[in-house]
Amino acid sequence: KIATYFRKPWVLSQKNLAQEIEKYCSELGMQRASINTALQISVPIEQMGEGTYMMMNAGFTAAIIYISIRLNSHLAHRTQREISTACRVTEVTLRNNYKIILKNMRMDKKKFEKGFYTVEDIVSGAYKNE
C-alpha cells in the first residue's frame, strides 16, 4: 500500500535493473565493454525514472540497452528488432521508452542521434547545462 501510495510499485519488485541488463546483453552476445556502458548509464536513467514515476519494466531496460548501443556504436551494433526480441517487448515499446527517456532527461533526440552526447555526458549530467 505504501509503494502504491507513493506511486513507486517497483520498490516491492524483486527485479534488479543491473541483473536484467546483464541478462539481456548476454542474450544479445554483447562484449563486456558494451555491457559496462549499459550498466554505467543505467544508474542516472534509473534515478530519472524513479523521479518521474516511470515503470522499470522490460521496455525500459530495452531502451537503456538501445541508448548504450547508440552511444558506442563502434563497440556493438544491434538492431531494434534484435533488442526487442531479446527483451521480449515490441519494437514500438522500445522506441516509445527510448523517446520518453530522452525527453525526461532533457536530451534532444536529433542531437543524440547525431552523436552529440557521450556516456560521460549522461553519467555526469553535462547535457543539462546546454
Side-chain angles (χ1 to χ4, degrees), residues 16-31:
N16 181 338
L17 185 61
Q19 288 176 344
E20 294 282 314
I21 290 172
E22 291 265 353
K23 178 177 85 172
Y24 295 134
C25 287
S26 64
E27 281 182 31
L28 288 164
M30 294 171 61
Q31 297 175 351

Side-chain angles (χ1 to χ4, degrees), residues 94-104 109:
L94 185 149
R95 281 192 295 273
N96 286 341
N97 281 296
Y98 164 69
K99 290 174 188 174
I100 290 168
I101 288 171
L102 291 182
K103 179 183 172 199
N104 286 332
K109 183 181 172 204

